[in-house]
Amino acid sequence: MKIAALISRSLLGLIFLIFGLNGFFHFIPMQAPTGTAGQFMGAMFVSHFLVVVFLFQVIPAILLLINRYVPLALALLAPIIVNIFFFHALMAPSGLPMAVIVILLWIVTAVNVRSAFAGLLQQKVQN
């Protein structure tokens, strides 16, 4: 399981590092989405919200790759991954397989550090 966690952590870090940096430097040519997905991405681009999204991809990716603060990196990536999944599920289904792979990589990585999230799953907090 440790090897699977290492591979999934590394792949997750690489995916988010590459696509996060691509948001800043545009080294992977991508077609602009059409329809609702294009309108959504256009609004995010014009408002500069994508800069924040790309930063929240690059910073946790670096943390995953250097194996530091992995639970924090996973916590920062979780809402990004949820949004990526629903974007592709509802507006641009062509990217859905990659979104599912990213979710699986996140789960395998999170299971390896599940003790760090144990406090979040308490039913009652002791005072």
Side-chain angles (χ1 to χ4, degrees):
M1 184 66 177
K2 288 187 184 238
I3 293 174
L6 172 68
I7 292 170
S8 66
R9 179 177 52 80
S10 300
L11 285 175
L12 194 63
L14 281 173
I15 288 169
F16 278 103
L17 184 65
I18 290 168
F19 285 102
L21 289 176
N22 186 56
F24 293 113
F25 301 115
H26 310 290
F27 51 84
I28 301 173
M30 302 175 105
Q31 293 181 352
T34 58
T36 307
Q39 292 173 350
F40 180 73
M41 291 301 290
M44 288 179 53
F45 179 77
V46 170
S47 67
H48 302 288
F49 187 74
L50 282 177
V51 173
V52 176
V53 173
F54 294 136
L55 280 175
F56 273 97
Q57 290 180 10
V58 171
I59 293 168
I62 292 168
L63 292 175
L64 289 173
L65 290 172
I66 64 172
N67 198 23
R68 296 287 184 259
Y69 303 104
V70 172
L72 174 63
L74 291 173
L76 291 172
L77 285 177
I80 301 287
I81 292 170
V82 168
N83 280 291
I84 289 170
F85 174 77
F86 282 113
F87 173 82
H88 287 295
L90 301 174
M91 292 185 263
S94 62
L96 194 56
M98 184 64 164
V100 171
I101 290 170
V102 167
I103 290 171
L104 294 174
L105 291 171
W106 188 93
I107 289 170
V108 171
T109 306
V111 165
N112 191 50
V113 294
R114 67 185 171 274
S115 62
F117 297 108
L120 295 174
L121 302 175
Q122 292 180 355
Q123 188 173 6
K124 290 187 175 186
V125 178
Q126 296 181 12
N127 295 329

